[in-house]
Amino acid sequence: MRVALFITCVNDTLFPDTGRAVVRLLERLGHEVVFPEGQTCCGQMHYNTGYRRPAGRMAVRFVRTFEGADAVVVPSASCAAMVRDNYPRLGGRGSRLSRKVAELAPRVYDLTEFLVDVLGVTDVGAYYPHKVTYHPTCHGLRMLGLGDRPYRLLRAVRGLELVDLPGDTECCGFGGTFAVKNGDVSSAMGADKARHAVETGAEVLCAVDNSCLMHIGGTLSRQRSGMRVVHLAEILASTEREGAHGALEGSEAGS
Amino acid sequence: MSATFLGIPPFPEAAEKAVNDSRLRHNLRKATHTIRDKRASVVGELHDDWQRLRAEGAAVKEHTLRHLDRYLEQLEESVQRAGGQVHWAADAAEANEIVTRLVKATGETDVVKVKSMATQEIELNEALAEAGITAYETDLAELIVQLGDDLPSHILVPAIHLGRAQIREIFLEQMAEWGVPAPEGLTDDPRALAEAARVHLRERFLRTRTAISGANFAVADSGTLVVLESEGNGRMCLTLPQTLISVVGIEKIVPTWSDLEVFMQLLPRSSTGERMNPYTSTWTGVTPGDGPQEFHLVLLDNGRTDVLADTVGRQALRCIRCSACLNTCPVYERTGGHAYGSVYPGPIGAILTPQLRGMSSEVDEALPYASSLCGACYEVCPVAIDIPEVLVHLREEVAESPGHLGEKAMMAGAEAVLSSPRALDAVQRAAGLGRGAVPRHLPGTAGAWTDTRDVPDVPAESFRQWWDKRGRERG
Ligand code: SF4
């Protein structure tokens, strides 16, 4: 299958390892990955902060860039949710944008949805010999309804010990511009999430959204907790032959 | 004599103080988690039925709001037919004036109150005090707040921010001034505290001849008002006095008696986490020889028709004040209610207060941002109010209003970069080159990040650079 990758601006700029991992994973599973070069950002930050018009313009760009794709894979639940849940609210009723969004949105998938629902795989042949806990990020949990998909994928990873995260469904406190507009509350929420994460005794906390991981990881690192955060894609891309980042030496979020 | 929310700073500032208050944080964490878990268990036991009930509750409310003019007239007619009198109040001042006049006409200077959000919203107690009338709160938590000269911090449990040791102190110090004193040697055992309140209140119930209430529901076709409660204080206030005055927001209407079956299931499970609340009182006008012989219904607008005109924002008027969104909100859990600067705190407050008050102040403008948009409120709301949607909608109003120049410039700059792959690439390359120079603590707004969090390492090359290179290598 030919898969169009929407990397997202945050991953593109700060977490390219996640993108490389998605490419490696999908190619290993026998699919072709394309990267439409016109892509930039889904507009989530503008939309969530109240800047609807810029968000609308970015939605138009997104639709134009991806409308021909059979499947669009996004390694970020909140960006996938932006397209699927919020784009329909951006165009007026019956507008050109609304029609195009209605046509495209059903083919836009978070990585875990694409693997489990479209490709029908849970065992992707990964090997990751670490103790890991999973944080279900809010937009993946409540907007996309990812459910048990990430857990099924993680449980099939050889060598991986998966442990439950206490208070897992509670928001980590990132919230985009909320993290700075309400820095104190955001930090208080992050501190509790970090405490729960450390309590698990896991070595790695993983999620499907690097923006949340940047916040949790930044907190864990500031606390010198000795725990690191890793995007789920990087775990799934790891095999016995290639480590988390293949032949490439790379940075992990917050490490 | 009673505190008001005036003078509370905008949310981020008020929240900074709250998150650093260890006693507050402890009290809130304990209380919200207890009630959150109780709710989850009684909602969970209904399985799929819950979502059907929720959809039905939302639909009934939505329908009523769309035809509110018709149902209001019907309610007025039904109440009058049953022997009650109906008054219309456009705003808080008018409502206070009506109630004050009605109480004065009874010749009484003391009134007992059933816990009511509408009367708090209009600051009725303060208005009555100015007219020489003392309003006595009879709900336990409301009593604690009143005795402590404090502010409510929760819709259902206004004293949720206090622990029992603090409540004991308030009782010992203040009860005597208001009536029957607290017993000597009062401990902080919840039973002992409740007993002290019972004794204190009972004397008041038996003596007072005028009561003021709100209502959870007003049934248009029968003219019946409904109050759900847990302590029995409401039942006392609604049955013993001679005169009853109920101040009710115009959005509290349901069309028919049978619509109550939906809400009688939704509300207790969502609010106290019970299958059924201990006391449900209903009254229809006056019944000769039974209960209050004079009944006044004051229908309160106070900004509600303006909210109704906003097609996105108006869903906030479906709210049945269950407080589930507060109890589940991670922001509320860490700040408590006072930081929201309004009698309506938490997620519902963040969308209702700015709409009712019109976003004319810094406090109100900050409220739509008091959320990480995690969506937990929407998930638990028994009438499916999409609170995140309304929050974003209100943020749009703020962003389109004058001022906020720094943020607007930042957003415009971001758009300029993010709307062009080439500009984005250029910024990424520059960042890659300067990656070693990122300081650990950043100045300005970004400092709010680096106060508590490290910034991630900037990679040497962006994904798109890597992709490009790979493409070229592969030919
Ligand atoms: S908004 Fe919904 S959850 Fe919150 S108090 Fe109102 S009805 Fe309850």
Side-chain angles (χ1 to χ4, degrees):
Chain A
M1 188 167 186
R2 199 178 147 98
V3 185
L5 173 63
F6 174 50
I7 183 68
T8 81
C9 63
V10 167
N11 287 329
D12 185 7
T13 308
L14 291 172
F15 307 104
D17 286 337
T18 297
R20 286 196 278 264
V22 175
V23 174
R24 207 164 52 248
L25 171 65
L26 293 176
E27 288 181 349
R28 187 174 80 219
L29 295 172
H31 303 280
E32 184 196 349
V33 180
V34 294
F35 179 77
E37 309 244 342
Q39 64 177 283
T40 53
C41 164
C42 67
Q44 186 182 185
M45 178 183 75
H46 285 88
Y47 180 79
N48 282 348
T49 315
Y51 293 77
R52 186 188 181 89
R53 264 172 291 188
R57 291 190 283 268
M58 290 187 217
V60 169
R61 165 176 287 277
F62 179 91
V63 169
R64 205 170 51 218
T65 309
F66 289 100
E67 60 190 342
D70 296 333
V72 182
V73 169
V74 191
S76 160
S78 64
C79 302
M82 174 69 195
V83 175
R84 291 228 302 261
D85 283 26
N86 292 333
Y87 276 13
R89 307 181 214 240
L90 278 172
R93 198 186 294 229
S95 69
R96 204 174 130 81
L97 178 62
S98 298
R99 279 199 316 274
K100 296 215 161 201
V101 165
E103 199 262 319
L104 174 62
R107 300 197 309 279
V108 176
Y109 306 95
D110 159 75
L111 176 67
T112 65
E113 293 174 315
F114 183 73
L115 293 170
V116 177
D117 302 351
V118 180
L119 300 184
V121 288
T122 45
D123 184 349
V124 296
Y127 169 74
Y128 196 77
H130 302 282
K131 188 167 172 177
V132 173
T133 192
Y134 174 75
H135 166 59
T137 57
C138 300
H139 293 179
L141 180 73
R142 300 194 183 87
M143 289 174 89
L144 296 181
L146 295 183
D148 65 356
R149 292 178 187 84
Y151 300 96
R152 285 165 63 193
L153 289 160
L154 283 166
R155 276 191 217 106
V157 175
R158 272 174 292 286
L160 186 147
E161 185 190 345
L162 183 63
V163 286
D164 289 340
L165 178 66
D168 57 348
T169 58
E170 197 170 292
C171 176
C172 72
F174 172 64
T177 47
F178 173 78
V180 288
K181 275 178 174 281
N182 278 287
D184 292 291
V185 186
S186 169
S187 299
M189 290 161 70
D192 286 340
K193 185 57 74 182
R195 177 171 52 79
H196 285 312
V198 171
E199 267 169 25
T200 64
E203 180 185 342
V204 171
L205 176 132
C206 80
V208 290
D209 222 313
N210 272 331
S211 43
C212 307
L213 287 179
M214 178 170 74
H215 165 74
I216 305 169
T219 305
L220 286 167
S221 140
R222 178 59 63 87
Q223 295 175 354
R224 309 291 186 271
S225 68
M227 189 174 188
R228 71 179 186 283
V229 296
V230 176
H231 192 286
L232 179 66
E234 296 173 43
I235 293 178
L236 299 181
S238 310
T239 61
E240 270 102 338
R241 280 187 41 225
E242 293 182 314
H245 303 108
L248 284 150
E249 179 69 18
S251 66
E252 282 162 354
S255 64
Chain B
M1 90 188 162
S2 178
T4 76
F5 283 95
L6 274 178
I8 290 194
F11 189 82
E13 216 180 301
E16 183 190 357
K17 202 166 136 236
V19 296
N20 286 307
D21 182 337
S22 55
R23 181 140 85 162
L24 177 72
R25 292 284 300 276
H26 174 82
N27 291 344
L28 285 167
R29 182 162 52 234
K30 203 166 152 222
T32 55
H33 279 264
T34 306
I35 193 159
R36 203 185 287 177
D37 294 348
K38 270 178 82 181
R39 177 208 162 268
S41 106
V42 297
V43 165
E45 70 185 17
L46 292 184
H47 307 284
D48 298 346
D49 275 356
W50 181 256
Q51 290 309 333
R52 282 197 286 271
L53 275 169
R54 185 173 179 249
E56 185 62 25
V60 171
K61 281 282 182 180
E62 200 55 36
H63 166 84
T64 314
L65 290 171
R66 270 168 196 259
H67 306 283
L68 196 57
D69 49 345
R70 197 173 90 209
Y71 287 120
L72 278 167
E73 278 175 16
Q74 193 187 7
L75 176 70
E76 177 179 40
E77 216 181 279
S78 314
V79 170
Q80 283 169 345
R81 203 182 328 118
Q85 295 180 49
V86 178
H87 312 260
W88 299 86
D91 56 21
E94 195 178 355
N96 287 332
E97 189 258 309
I98 294 169
V99 177
T100 306
R101 180 164 44 78
L102 292 172
V103 175
K104 278 193 169 162
T106 66
E108 302 288 329
T109 52
D110 287 354
V111 296
V112 280
K113 280 189 70 198
V114 187
K115 183 177 166 1
S116 131
M117 292 310 299
T119 60
Q120 282 190 13
E121 176 189 323
I122 61 174
E123 300 185 348
L124 176 65
N125 291 9
E126 291 70 23
L128 289 173
E130 270 176 38
I133 299 159
T134 312
Y136 293 92
E137 295 292 349
T138 65
D139 168 84
L140 177 55
E142 206 71 77
L143 173 71
I144 295 165
V145 169
Q146 185 171 47
L147 292 176
D149 195 20
D150 202 347
L151 288 166
S153 67
H154 189 274
I155 293 177
L156 185 75
V157 198
I160 196 168
H161 56 290
L162 299 172
R164 53 191 166 134
Q166 290 161 290
I167 294 167
R168 170 180 169 270
E169 271 170 46
I170 291 169
F171 279 10
L172 283 172
E173 280 167 24
Q174 299 297 330
M175 261 187 177
E177 266 190 48
W178 288 74
V180 177
E184 258 176 63
L186 177 67
T187 68
D188 66 4
D189 171 41
R191 263 176 179 282
L193 293 172
E195 187 55 28
R198 284 171 75 95
V199 173
H200 178 84
L201 289 169
R202 183 156 297 261
E203 181 259 354
R204 180 94 56 218
F205 290 133
L206 296 174
R207 203 155 48 77
T208 312
R209 295 171 51 82
T210 301
I212 297 174
S213 82
N216 293 101
F217 304 100
V219 183
D221 72 347
S222 62
T224 308
L225 274 84
V226 186
V227 162
L228 281 72
E229 44 129 1
S230 299
E231 297 166 14
N233 65 302
R235 177 67 54 84
M236 295 290 242
C237 294
L238 297 167
T239 52
L240 290 178
Q242 192 60 26
T243 305
L244 173 60
I245 304 164
S246 302
V247 182
V248 180
I250 53 172
E251 82 285 18
K252 294 282 146 202
I253 295 194
V254 293
T256 67
W257 176 259
S258 63
D259 290 320
L260 289 175
E261 74 174 28
V262 179
F263 297 103
M264 294 296 292
Q265 297 179 75
L266 287 173
L267 184 50
R269 286 181 200 256
S270 299
S271 61
T272 48
E274 294 167 304
R275 295 190 181 106
M276 200 179 159
N277 53 297
Y279 296 88
T280 301
S281 300
T282 68
W283 67 100
T284 310
V286 294
T287 308
D290 183 11
Q293 294 301 295
E294 200 183 321
F295 170 57
H296 298 273
L297 171 60
V298 181
L299 287 167
L300 176 72
D301 186 327
N302 207 29
R304 286 163 175 75
T305 28
D306 293 340
V307 181
L308 214 47
D310 181 330
T311 51
V312 178
R314 71 171 171 222
Q315 53 186 310
L317 295 180
R318 284 187 218 149
C319 175
I320 56 173
R321 309 279 189 268
C322 71
S323 75
C325 58
L326 280 66
N327 301 328
T328 203
C329 175
V331 175
Y332 177 88
E333 180 192 330
R334 285 164 185 87
T335 65
H338 294 163
Y340 293 80
S342 153
V343 295
Y344 300 112
I348 181 62
I351 61 168
L352 193 58
T353 305
Q355 293 199 81
L356 289 177
R357 298 202 294 217
M359 278 209 285
S360 48
S361 70
E362 240 188 295
V363 170
D364 292 347
E365 278 199 337
L367 286 174
Y369 298 93
S371 164
S372 63
L373 303 180
C374 80
C377 47
Y378 177 33
E379 192 176 36
V380 297
C381 178
V383 285
I385 300 173
D386 190 341
I387 295 176
E389 180 188 27
V390 182
L391 286 167
V392 168
H393 174 69
L394 295 172
R395 290 176 186 190
E396 284 163 11
E397 266 183 51
V398 177
E400 276 158 26
S401 67
H404 316 282
L405 297 178
E407 183 180 287
K408 283 176 186 166
M410 208 277 278
M411 287 291 167
E415 192 196 359
V417 171
L418 294 172
S419 57
S420 148
R422 289 178 67 187
L424 179 57
D425 185 51
V427 167
Q428 287 167 340
R429 282 172 197 271
L433 290 174
R435 61 196 291 252
V438 180
R440 198 176 176 79
H441 294 273
L442 296 169
T445 316
W449 180 276
T450 55
D451 268 355
T452 57
R453 292 154 286 207
D454 287 342
V455 282
D457 292 332
V458 178
E461 63 178 3
S462 67
F463 177 82
R464 82 179 59 225
Q465 272 174 273
W466 172 78
W467 180 268
D468 221 41
K469 217 163 65 186
R470 187 174 100 135
R472 272 185 274 114
E473 279 165 13
R474 293 187 170 189

